[in-house]
Structure formats: structure tokens, C-alpha cells
């Protein structure tokens, strides 16, 4: 009898990846294709949706073709996509412009005005902080600037909907991707009428919202032939990358926190219902009809280390740079670093935020500055976690994934600042495994989302150093005071 395999198709900001797993989460094969981000003006960040879709086709064809059909059966594919994308399309689904991605900041002025006028009211229903990352604020910008793509559009889509429409001819969107738009009522699980009015669009221009286990129809014939998809292979709509990273890490219950740090980062946990943080410090995105994920994204993960490495013209690689910080004591010998070099989402939600070194003296070294950078990124995550605790209490278990896990020093710093033992998977394809697991649940090959806990790749445990944690508690008080002191200056820059 052939062993059953499942595909997780993960379309992120930097690449499209197709990853094949067995039913226990063991990696069988994978393919990755990079995609290009374009920056036509300062603050703009765009991608070509046709290029992204072509990359998805390419990686799917590669993994399907690499599986030995005599021994294995590819039974299903689950989809995972990055949040906050926006594409204007015509009645045939053809794009009238590039896709605006989450890091596009052209709508900063619109976001600031909306937050001042109706921000708390909109946020109380959508659970999505008012920020230029969201399609809501981007559409308001388009409306006010009489953007031709906006004015000519028949429909407005995320990358998930665009791919589904062109591959299956369906206009559907899962709960998570709908939530990421900023105009979805997470409490009632419907499109929010007032937010749509602000954006100048109608519900008919949006897709129907469905469960993550929604099974899509047959692939369009030419694509089925081009990809050489096996007969009987089933496609499941899946969810967004954040939700699926939690699922793929086994962080499925209240109190189980997942931290993802790559170029950017986020900290999240699943909850029942849709609790909203009144201070607007964190988000609440729907996952299914009954569950949501709460958390906070940061713009400043690995990109900060990249910036620092470039600024100091460090000649080695990232591993060598981080290794220099190994022998620097916790607290970086008095240097504090606010990591907001890329603006910031949680906990500030201020695109004008900027990075700061504080406490530098003539005797400080490059290694100490590197340590301060790593600690600053971790302090920011810790601050977001404190906001999460107001909704869900102290974490019971913390898992991590992303590029962060490739550095034992960085993971240890994070564990010590949080005061929590950290667990990370032997594979870094957590979101893809989450998408694949949703597909297995949808087709009846897995019993529930939470059953993934018994089907995870091996875990590695990093033990928190309690002595360092006590020291970091004192350092964090200074970090928080510094942040409060300079926040008022960001809008003056």
C-alpha cells in the first residue's frame, strides 16, 4: 500500500515554497522560488501577482514531479499565504496594477487620520490595528488619490484569492485572510459595512468567506495538465501564515505561544472567540468560526541585524557577527537599543518610529553593540507578549520558528528575557506543515487541528537562565522608559 503524502504550499513575502510531508510531519521534499519586491517610490513596496502565481506553479510542478508515484500517493495540498496583500483586478481577474504588500507604507497619513477619527471604533470590531499595512488604509489612499487601478477595479483580492480564482475559478477567502484586510468584523464573522464605506467598496467586490478546511473545486484543466496533478488530488484553502505557523508548531491551545522571527517577526496564540485588546497594542484575527489568533507583529526582526551589519560594514557573515556577542554579558554593558529602524507595528503602531542606541561610551565595542541589537529585538517581542498576557494570561509553553532559531545565542537571549523555556522544531517549515495539516483534517486523514501535537517533527529545548532573567527585568524597565521618552519625538522627524 502506498504511503500518503501531503503538500503545504507556502507563499510568503520573499518566496513561494512547496513542501511535501508524510502524515507525521516528516519532510520528504521541497522546492522554493524567490519572488521580487519592487520599490517604485520611497515607502512603496509592490510585487507582480503574475510572477508570484508563476512561482507557485513552478514549485508545485517540481515537487509533484519529484515524488515516486510507485511508493507514494500525493493526497492533498493546503494553501498558506502572507497577510495584508491587495490586488485590484478586472472582471476576468486580471490585475490592473502590482500587488501592494504588507510593508507598503504609502497610506501612512490616511492611517494616522483614521486612527484619530474612527480608529478605536473600527478596531473594536475588526481587531486589526489601524496601520498602513492593511488593505483598508491602502484603499482609502487609492480612493483619495483617484488611483486608476482602484477606479477601474471590478474586484479587490489578496494573493490567496488571486491564486484561487486563477487556479479554480472560485472567489472565496478564508477567515484569517479576510481578517487581515482590516474590514472584516471578527466578532460577527462578516464584512464590516462602515469599513467598506470608508474604503469606497462594496461587499460584492469581495469574496465569500469560508472555513480553512474549505475544499476547492477541480483545477482548471490546462493547469492540471501542466502540473501533472495526480487524479483525486484535493486542494484545501488553508489559512494565513501566522495562524499556520502556530498550528505547525503545535501551539494550538490557549496559553501556547509561538514566536516567529525572520526578516520581520510576530508573537501569537490561539484563543476561543475574538477578544479585543482595548489599547490597540495587538491584533485579533479569525481562524475559524469559533477560534481566533491574537498577537502582535513587529517590522523589526532579522532586518535589523542586516541593517546593523551593513552600517558597520562587517566583513563576515551573520553567524560570525552574532558569535562576537557570545561573551558579552547580559545587558550589553549598559547599551540599550530600540530596534525600530523599519518603523514599527506592535506595540507602537507607528510607521514614523525610528531606532536608537542609548548609553554608548567611548570604551564600548562592536560586540557589545551587536549584543544590544539582539537584546533590543528580544525586548520588543517581550513587550508585545506582556500585552498578550492581558488577554490570555501567562504562557504555558513558548515555541519559536524562523531564522532566529539558527542562532543558539539569539534564542538563548530571547529565552532569558522572556523567562520561559523555548521549544523549536528540527524543521523550519512550520507554516507549510500547518497548511498541510489543515488539508489532512479537511479530507479526513487527521482527526482535528489539535491532533497535530502528536504529529510534530522533533523539538529542541532551550532552558531559560533565571539569573539572566532577573537582570533583564531591571534592564527592561530602562528599555521601556527609554521607549516612552522618545515615542513623542517620532512624529517630529
Amino acid at each position: 500500500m502506498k504511503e500518503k503524502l501531503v503538500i503545504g504550499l507556502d507563499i510568503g513575502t520573499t518566496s513561494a515554497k512547496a513542501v511535501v510531508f508524510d502524515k507525521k510531519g516528516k519532510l520528504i521534499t521541497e522546492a522554493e522560488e524567490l519572488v521580487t519586491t519592487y520599490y517604485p517610490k520611497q515607502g512603496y513596496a509592490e510585487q507582480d501577482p503574475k510572477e508570484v502565481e508563476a512561482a507557485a506553479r513552478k514549485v508545485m510542478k517540481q515537487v509533484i514531479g519529484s515524488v515516486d508515484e510507485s511508493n507514494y500517493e500525493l493526497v492533498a495540498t493546503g494553501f498558506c499565504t502572507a497577510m495584508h496583500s491587495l490586488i485590484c483586478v478586472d472582471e476576468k481577474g486580471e490585475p490592473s496594477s502590482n500587488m501592494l504588500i504588507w510593508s507598503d507604507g504609502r497610506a501612512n497619513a490616511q492611517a494616522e487620520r483614521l486612527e484619530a477619527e474612527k480608529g478605536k471604533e473600527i478596531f473594536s470590531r475588526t481587531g486589526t490595528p489601524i496601520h498602513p499595512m492593511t488593505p483598508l488604509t491602502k484603499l482609502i489612499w487609492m480612493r483619495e488619490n483617484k488611483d486608476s487601478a482602484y477606479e477601474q477595479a471590478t474586484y479587490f483580492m489578496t494573493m490567496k484569492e488571486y491564486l484561487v480564482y486563477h487556479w479554480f475559478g472560485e472567489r472565496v477567502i478564508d477567515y484569517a485572510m479576510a481578517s487581515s484586510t482590516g474590514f472584516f468584523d471578527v466578532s460577527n464573522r462578516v464584512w464590516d459595512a462602515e469599513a467598506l464605506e470608508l474604503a469606497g467598496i462594496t461587499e460584492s467586490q469581495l469574496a465569500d468567506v469560508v472555513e480553512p478546511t474549505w475544499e476547492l473545486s477541480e483545477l482548471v484543466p490546462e493547469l492540471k495538465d501542466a502540473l501533472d496533478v495526480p487524479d483525486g488530488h484535493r486542494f484545501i484553502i488553508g489559512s494565513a501564515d501566522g495562524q499556520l505557523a502556530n498550528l505547525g508548531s503545535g501551539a494550538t491551545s490557549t496559553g501556547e505561544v509561538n514566536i516567529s522571527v525572520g526578516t520581520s517577526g510576530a508573537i501569537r496564540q490561539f484563543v476561543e472567540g475574538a477578544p479585543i485588546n482595548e489599547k490597540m497594542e495587538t491584533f485579533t484575527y479569525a481562524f475559524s468560526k469559533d477560534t481566533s489568533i491574537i498577537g502582535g507583529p513587529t517590522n523589526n526582526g532579522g532586518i535589523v541585524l542586516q541593517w546593523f551589519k551593513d552600517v558597520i560594514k562587517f566583513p563576515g557573515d551573520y553567524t560570525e557577527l552574532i558569535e562576537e556577542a557570545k561573551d558579552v554579558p547580559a545587558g550589553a554593558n549598559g547599551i540599550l537599543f530600540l530596534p525600530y529602524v523599519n518603523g514599527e507595528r506592535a506595540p507602537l503602531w507607528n510607521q514614523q518610529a525610528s531606532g536608537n542606541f542609548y548609553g554608548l561610551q567611548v570604551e564600548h565595542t562592536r560586540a557589545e553593540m551587536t549584543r544590544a541589537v539582539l537584546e533590543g529585538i528580544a525586548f520588543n517581542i517581550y513587550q508585545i507578549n506582556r500585552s498578550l498576557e492581558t488577554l490570555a494570561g501567562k504562557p504555558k509553553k513558548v515555541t519559536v520558528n524562523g531564522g532566529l532559531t539558527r542562532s543558539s545565542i539569539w534564542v538563548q537571549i530571547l529565552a532569558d528575557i522572556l523567562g520561559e523555556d523555548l521549544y523549536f522544531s528540527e524543521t523550519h517549515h512550520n507554516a507549510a506543515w500547518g497548511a498541510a495539516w489543515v488539508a489532512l483534517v479537511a479530507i479526513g486523514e487527521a482527526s482535528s487541528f489539535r491532533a497535530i501535537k502528536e504529529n510534530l517533527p522533533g523539538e529542541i529545548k532551550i532552558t531559560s537562565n533565571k539569573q539572566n532573567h532577573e537582570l533583564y527585568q531591571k534592564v527592561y524597565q530602562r528599555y521601556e522608559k527609554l521607549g516612552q521618552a522618545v515615542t513623542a519625538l517620532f512624529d517630529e522627524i
Side-chain angles (χ1 to χ4, degrees), residues 303-369:
I303 195 172
V304 180
L305 196 63
Q306 177 184 333
W307 162 83
F308 181 65
K309 180 177 180 292
D310 292 343
V311 165
I312 65 174
K313 295 181 169 58
F314 185 76
D317 60 23
Y318 292 105
T319 301
E320 293 171 309
L321 177 63
I322 293 173
E323 189 68 23
E324 285 193 345
K326 181 178 180 181
D327 296 325
V328 177
N333 287 328
I335 304 176
L336 291 174
F337 177 68
L338 297 180
Y340 314 133
V341 298
N342 195 31
E344 192 49 290
R345 289 181 286 172
L348 304 179
W349 299 103
N350 188 332
Q351 197 59 27
Q352 301 301 111
S354 58
N356 294 266
F357 277 105
Y358 175 80
L360 283 174
Q361 296 182 336
V362 69
E363 66 268 18
H364 281 130
T365 66
R366 181 175 70 192
E368 289 165 330
M369 293 179 71

Side-chain angles (χ1 to χ4, degrees), residues 122-150:
I122 297 294
F123 174 77
S124 69
R125 296 193 302 271
T126 66
T128 304
I130 308 300
H131 188 270
M133 69 180 180
T134 64
L136 169 60
T137 58
K138 290 176 169 65
L139 286 169
I140 294 174
W141 180 92
M142 287 180 164
R143 184 183 192 182
E144 293 179 355
N145 285 274
K146 300 186 185 306
D147 183 86
S148 59
Y150 167 88

Side-chain angles (χ1 to χ4, degrees), residues 14-17 31-35 54-56 58-59 62:
T14 58
S15 68
K17 291 181 287 189
E32 182 174 13
E33 182 75 8
L34 297 179
V35 296
K58 184 174 181 179
V59 294
Q62 286 177 342

Side-chain angles (χ1 to χ4, degrees), residues 366-396:
R366 181 175 70 192
E368 289 165 330
M369 293 179 71
T370 301
R371 178 87 185 199
V373 168
L374 298 175
E375 290 178 347
I377 297 168
F379 277 133
N380 197 39
I381 292 170
Y382 176 66
Q383 188 170 11
I384 300 169
N385 183 61
R386 284 163 61 92
S387 296
L388 284 186
E389 289 180 0
T390 64
L391 292 177
K394 293 283 290 183
K396 298 173 183 175

